[in-house]
Amino acid sequence: MSIGIYYFSGTGNSLFIAKELKKRLPDCSLVPVVHVLRNGRIETAADVFGIVFPIKGTKTEKTGRYHHMGITAEDIAHQK
């Protein structure tokens, strides 16, 4: 089973967590969200994917809210 971890990290904390997940999960790849946004669409061939982003207190940072970046559920396509 392949796993894709999409991450957004402003200070490096979320990148650290994403790397820790990669160490523990077999067949896992890391994808920076900023690279995906250039395409305007998230496409993955992974069987499972997760998103790692920063939170502040109990709220997500504005940059971590994907709907503020223009990403909707329709933008995430599973490619097999």
Side-chain angles (χ1 to χ4, degrees):
M1 175 174 64
S2 62
I3 302 169
I5 302 288
Y6 295 84
Y7 70 90
F8 173 80
S9 186
T11 62
N13 294 333
S14 294
L15 175 58
F16 174 81
I17 297 299
K19 286 180 177 180
E20 289 297 310
L21 287 169
K22 181 176 173 44
K23 288 180 191 176
R24 291 164 172 77
L25 298 170
D27 195 19
C28 180
S29 61
L30 299 181
V31 182
V33 170
V34 292
H35 292 171
V36 174
L37 289 176
R38 292 183 188 139
N39 299 331
R41 188 173 171 87
I42 296 175
E43 296 182 356
T44 183
D47 297 314
V48 176
F49 73 91
I51 302 173
V52 177
F53 58 91
I55 60 168
K56 185 175 182 179
T58 58
K59 299 180 181 180
T60 59
E61 291 291 324
K62 186 174 183 179
T63 53
R65 295 182 190 152
Y66 292 97
H67 64 275
H68 285 288
M69 289 192 247
I71 298 176
T72 65
E74 293 81 33
D75 294 326
I76 301 172
H78 188 269
Q79 300 292 316
K80 272 290 184 186

